[in-house]
Amino acid sequence: MGARHGLALFFCAPLLWAAPAPALSVKAGIDAWQKADYAHAVAIWRPLAENGDADAAFNLGQAYRLGRGVKIDLGEAQSWLERAASQGHVDAQTTLGLLLFGNGNQTDGARWLKQAAEKGEARAMLIFGTALFNGDGVPQDRVLGYAYVSRASAQGLGPAKATLDQMNEVMPLADRKKGLAIAMQKAKAQAKAPAKTSRTTTAKAATKSSTPKQAVIASGGGWAVQLGAFSRRSSAAALYRQLSSSPPLAGKGPLYVSAGPVTRLQGAGFDRPASASAACAALTKRGQACFITRVK
């Protein structure tokens, strides 16, 4: 295999309110959090999380991780994140994987990151792909690692582009081609996968009124900013309602993209990648995680 080339990991910590709540009571917790009334937000989320609400459990886990409204307790954070992750909550799987990986538990961290990566979550694909490349917590597989990182880079994730450049310097061209072929296969398989609806969105699934193509036509551009991936479509809609009045998204339309059990929220209608990048930069300053993507 030759000399071992280790790559640095880029940890992109997700924000608490990247996964807004599907119900008004949980949304009230989001509103309280944004007003810095953290204790009230925690009080709202806790009973919902205890009753099995994945978004509330994710938010509660983040509160314990950040020490807002409660004392920092990484054990409690991990416990609540696990509850949400076990229900297929993509942001929880990613956050939990990053938390475990950062604390030295690379094996369990990689397991959760792999689940999120298989659903197309960019941060998870970057970290899991880098772990595969380095053999950190998983058997080393540089070709497969390259496939995951290239997919994350294709979604516009900046650190993934930097990591891919490093991989390009040390990997033979033949291996890179193999990795790209795997990436394309995974992307196609994910696109063809039937959408899975959660227990609370089954009745709403048939009421979706717009396709990605229609959204692009209506909004006038083929580029978008991705704002998160959610276990419930209503959670994505709740976040967009909060952000739609902000200048970076003025005149843009929401785009809800089904990807297996999750819904990706995008703000669509940017005519150039530079415009989308500028909007992402402005949103990031406001505390909203995002990256640019091409509407397909």
Side-chain angles (χ1 to χ4, degrees):
M1 183 65 90
R4 176 186 176 92
H5 296 275
L7 296 177
L9 291 174
F10 291 83
F11 287 87
C12 310
L15 299 173
L16 174 78
W17 51 278
L24 290 177
S25 56
V26 183
K27 180 182 180 301
I30 298 291
D31 294 339
W33 182 274
Q34 293 177 334
K35 295 176 182 176
D37 191 355
Y38 304 123
H40 187 204
V42 168
I44 292 172
W45 290 328
R46 189 180 300 278
L48 292 163
E50 290 173 346
N51 286 330
D53 187 288
D55 288 322
F58 168 72
N59 287 345
L60 192 57
Q62 289 285 62
Y64 276 107
R65 187 179 69 85
L66 298 171
R68 294 180 180 174
V70 290
K71 292 183 179 179
I72 291 179
D73 188 329
L74 295 184
E76 279 291 301
Q78 180 176 332
S79 177
W80 288 111
L81 289 171
E82 284 180 347
R83 290 197 191 192
S86 296
Q87 295 183 55
H89 194 289
V90 178
D91 282 330
Q93 291 172 342
T94 303
T95 304
L96 179 60
L98 294 175
L99 177 65
L100 292 170
F101 216 97
N103 288 336
N105 188 349
Q106 297 172 329
T107 300
D108 287 343
R111 176 170 59 87
W112 288 112
L113 289 169
K114 180 181 180 181
Q115 292 187 43
E118 289 297 328
K119 297 167 187 172
E121 210 289 338
R123 295 164 299 156
M125 289 193 293
L126 167 60
I127 304 304
F128 182 63
T130 307
L132 283 167
F133 191 91
N134 291 336
D136 294 330
V138 291
Q140 188 177 47
D141 188 333
R142 292 189 169 185
V143 171
L144 185 57
Y146 188 89
Y148 280 110
V149 175
S150 65
R151 288 190 66 196
S153 177
Q155 290 190 25
L157 189 63
K161 293 181 179 180
T163 300
L164 194 64
D165 287 342
Q166 295 180 48
M167 290 181 171
N168 287 333
E169 292 178 0
V170 299
M171 285 188 70
L173 178 59
D175 287 345
R176 281 182 274 158
K177 288 183 177 180
K178 291 178 182 178
L180 289 174
I182 294 173
M184 292 178 65
Q185 290 173 358
K186 286 184 173 294
K188 289 180 180 179
Q190 184 180 345
K192 293 180 181 179
K196 297 179 181 179
T197 55
S198 72
R199 62 183 182 280
T200 61
T201 58
T202 301
K204 297 180 180 180
T207 66
K208 296 179 182 178
S209 60
S210 64
T211 64
K213 183 176 180 180
Q214 290 169 334
V216 174
I217 294 173
S219 56
W223 291 88
V225 293
Q226 183 157 311
L227 304 168
F230 309 96
S231 58
R232 297 179 177 90
R233 186 177 186 273
S234 56
S235 298
L239 178 59
Y240 198 83
R241 285 195 297 270
Q242 295 174 13
L243 297 176
S244 59
S245 60
S246 61
L249 293 177
K252 309 306 177 187
L255 183 59
Y256 304 101
V257 182
S258 295
V262 302
T263 296
R264 293 175 180 164
L265 170 63
Q266 298 174 358
F270 296 93
D271 57 354
R272 303 186 311 276
S275 301
S277 295
C280 243
L283 288 166
T284 299
K285 289 181 179 179
R286 293 168 175 258
Q288 172 60 45
C290 79
F291 58 86
I292 71 169
T293 183
R294 188 71 182 264
V295 178
K296 299 176 181 179

